[in-house]
Amino acid sequence: MKRLALLLLAVPMFALSQDEAPSAPPPPPPDAEDLPPPPPPPVDHRVLVPKGGGAPHAAREGSPRDSWYIGFGVGSGGGWVTDAGQRDSFKEFTYPGDRATFSFDFNIGATLTPRLLLGVEVGALGTSGSTGGYDSSIITTYFDGVVTYFPMERGFFVRGGAGSASLQTNAETPDGTFKGNWKGVNVLGGVGYAWWLGKSFNLVGQVDVTRAWYERRGPDATDTVAVTLGFEWF
């Protein structure tokens, strides 16, 4: 009996000693290389749009222009001839009656930058008149290299050029036909505005002035002011 009592007393003491035994040390932390990568930050899928609307900034890509351009214009204006110190209008070189003044230009060239174009242009301004079987005309033409500059890439532009010029006169009367033809050089300057109507299509209004000088046997100079409305494909 005595042994049994000692045995019963030893069992709970042994269990208590097991509970008080120190627990196993925690495992070492994993190396940084073993850690999974942190989750990516949340992505804001909204597109930044400038105030007042318009296309997103990311959608603006380069120049809206093509690498080349072509266009033409028609209109009216006025011309003057200076010779031996006297200046007379084109109308004074034509017969009175059914008079009309016209202007025309055709141009083609390359886009150097979104603001700068370089090309060639042919143009003319003339006046014709007829009355009672008398017909007459005077016309000056030019073939120029022309630079066009858009300060704001679209809309308003300025331009200038230089090249060759010619002046022709013609008079048909009951007594015969009389003609004159002189060659020379000229300079051109102008301003205008292009209304963008499509991907590359523009309605263009412009005012050009020219001055031409002719060979010795011709008049000293001519001056023209042409107002035209036309179409350009930039």
Side-chain angles (χ1 to χ4, degrees):
M1 286 298 291
K2 188 175 182 179
R3 289 182 179 179
L4 181 58
L6 291 174
L7 181 60
L8 292 175
L9 182 61
V11 170
M13 293 180 64
F14 177 76
L16 182 60
S17 65
Q18 288 293 99
D19 292 339
E20 294 178 355
S23 59
D31 294 338
E33 297 180 356
D34 298 331
L35 293 175
V43 178
D44 187 354
H45 295 282
R46 295 173 299 174
V47 178
L48 180 60
V49 178
K51 293 182 179 179
H57 295 302
R60 298 178 180 176
E61 298 178 358
S63 170
R65 302 187 186 281
D66 206 336
S67 58
W68 64 283
Y69 70 93
I70 188 171
F72 68 93
V74 293
S76 186
W80 297 264
V81 177
T82 301
D83 190 30
Q86 183 174 344
R87 180 182 171 91
D88 299 300
S89 71
F90 277 17
K91 290 183 177 181
E92 295 178 77
F93 285 84
T94 59
Y95 295 118
D98 297 329
R99 280 179 176 154
T101 299
F102 66 90
S103 62
F104 168 82
D105 67 76
F106 172 81
N107 59 82
I108 187 171
T111 300
L112 303 182
T113 73
R115 289 184 171 88
L116 189 63
L117 312 179
L118 175 64
V120 294
E121 178 171 310
V122 57
L125 185 143
T127 299
S128 62
S130 62
T131 182
Y134 291 80
D135 298 301
S136 60
S137 63
I138 179 171
I139 180 172
T140 178
T141 60
Y142 63 86
F143 182 80
D144 290 352
V146 178
V147 175
T148 303
Y149 179 68
F150 288 81
M152 296 172 287
E153 293 192 14
R154 295 193 181 196
F156 176 77
F157 62 85
V158 296
R159 62 199 216 109
S164 62
S166 65
L167 178 68
Q168 299 91 30
T169 60
N170 183 73
E172 297 181 3
T173 72
D175 297 327
T177 299
F178 305 91
K179 294 185 177 181
N181 190 357
W182 302 275
K183 304 294 183 182
V185 295
N186 86 296
V187 292
L188 175 149
V191 295
Y193 196 92
W195 290 271
W196 213 286
L197 303 181
K199 182 179 180 181
S200 59
F201 178 68
N202 290 256
L203 175 65
V204 176
Q206 65 188 43
V207 178
D208 295 318
V209 296
T210 67
R211 183 168 180 86
W213 298 267
Y214 301 96
E215 54 198 358
R216 289 184 179 180
R217 64 185 183 89
D220 295 335
T222 59
D223 300 284
T224 66
V225 177
V227 181
T228 58
L229 185 67
F231 304 104
E232 297 281 348
W233 288 262
F234 290 125

